[in-house]
Amino acid sequence: MTLESLASVVHMSKSHLSRIEIADYVPPPGLAAQLDACFGTDGIFQELYALARKEIHPDRYRRRMELEARARTIDQYAGQIVPGLVQTEAYARDIFRETYPQATEDKIEELVVARMSRQLLLNGTPALDLFMILDEAVIRRPVGGSDAMRAQLARLIDLSNGPNTTVQVLPFSHGAHALMGGSLTLMTLDDKQVVSYEESIGTGTLLEDPESVRAHCRAYHLMRAYALPPRDSAALIRSVMEALPT
């Protein structure tokens, strides 16, 4: 059956179906049952979908970078460090030195350059909308010494209520929440699809199936309700910056 013929049966565009066929997209939940009905396969596609939706992309970091380049909106929660998209060079350099203590300085500089190149997304056309929620630990943990941390906090203040950026701080006083122990990135792509990427120490999981993404979106938006507004967040960040030793 041609893609055109199948698209008319399952009520999906040929281009979307083609991307599913080459494993560029995870199939939507209802497609497996439609394929079984179309081909008379007695539940085989539904059984395969139950397995496929649990798979982790084998090259998940590269895939994450491809999706990030296509994102029109990124919502991020960071629990320990400033997200890479808004790190200063000095902050990123110290993070890499601590993460890879045996790396040469040339390798560290290579990593820093690669991270800075990702930040070009913030100046793209159309402009990327970036919304960040930072745990209070992110702004209070000094990284790279007082000067480096002061510059990083100043950048967060500049981004706190920008034309296409928002920074909010989740205060310690809120207590426990659903995303403790890691970080989360939600990316809304150019075709309106939303994917999520959750990360812990040394590992990252890219999730594209709608059920998992909805659960992450709910946790993120619930956290946003408890975070400080951008203006109050900027004031808190400024107070932490001013308290740094000179």
Side-chain angles (χ1 to χ4, degrees), residues 19-94:
R19 289 178 175 179
I20 292 171
E21 184 180 37
I22 63 174
D24 194 30
Y25 280 164
V26 171
L31 180 61
Q34 291 178 299
L35 294 176
D36 279 325
C38 178
F39 296 113
T41 41
D42 193 28
I44 292 297
F45 279 100
Q46 294 176 77
E47 292 176 12
L48 290 172
Y49 176 71
L51 295 174
R53 66 190 295 267
K54 297 176 182 178
E55 283 295 310
I56 296 175
H57 197 281
D59 194 0
R60 56 187 178 269
Y61 188 74
R62 179 178 177 183
R63 172 70 170 158
R64 182 252 171 99
M65 292 298 99
E66 292 172 351
L67 294 174
E68 185 178 81
R70 289 178 46 206
R72 293 294 173 263
T73 301
I74 292 181
D75 296 274
Q76 280 193 304
Y77 162 72
Q80 297 294 331
I81 64 173
V82 172
L85 278 176
V86 297
Q87 289 178 3
T88 63
E89 286 192 26
Y91 186 99
R93 187 173 291 108
D94 196 66

Side-chain angles (χ1 to χ4, degrees), residues 39-158:
F39 296 113
T41 41
D42 193 28
I44 292 297
F45 279 100
Q46 294 176 77
E47 292 176 12
L48 290 172
Y49 176 71
L51 295 174
R53 66 190 295 267
K54 297 176 182 178
E55 283 295 310
I56 296 175
H57 197 281
D59 194 0
R60 56 187 178 269
Y61 188 74
R62 179 178 177 183
R63 172 70 170 158
R64 182 252 171 99
M65 292 298 99
E66 292 172 351
L67 294 174
E68 185 178 81
R70 289 178 46 206
R72 293 294 173 263
T73 301
I74 292 181
D75 296 274
Q76 280 193 304
Y77 162 72
Q80 297 294 331
I81 64 173
V82 172
L85 278 176
V86 297
Q87 289 178 3
T88 63
E89 286 192 26
Y91 186 99
R93 187 173 291 108
D94 196 66
I95 291 292
F96 285 131
R97 282 173 176 161
E98 293 296 330
T99 305
Y100 307 107
Q102 297 180 336
T104 64
E105 281 302 308
D106 286 345
K107 179 60 178 178
I108 295 297
E109 290 308 308
E110 179 183 329
L111 292 169
V112 171
V113 169
R115 176 148 296 177
M116 295 303 107
S117 69
R118 284 176 57 201
Q119 299 182 6
L120 295 174
L121 293 173
L122 296 176
N123 300 316
T125 303
L128 172 71
D129 289 317
L130 178 63
F131 302 93
M132 291 173 287
I133 301 174
L134 309 179
D135 192 279
E136 189 173 343
V138 174
I139 65 171
R140 292 197 179 277
R141 184 182 302 281
V143 172
S146 294
D147 290 343
M149 193 64 189
R150 189 175 291 107
Q152 181 64 75
L153 293 177
R155 185 167 194 208
L156 292 177
I157 292 171
D158 290 340

Side-chain angles (χ1 to χ4, degrees), residues 77 135-137 170-181 223 226-227:
Y77 162 72
D135 192 279
E136 189 173 343
L170 184 71
F172 288 145
S173 59
H174 173 64
H177 57 81
L179 298 179
M180 292 178 68
M223 182 181 301
Y226 291 107

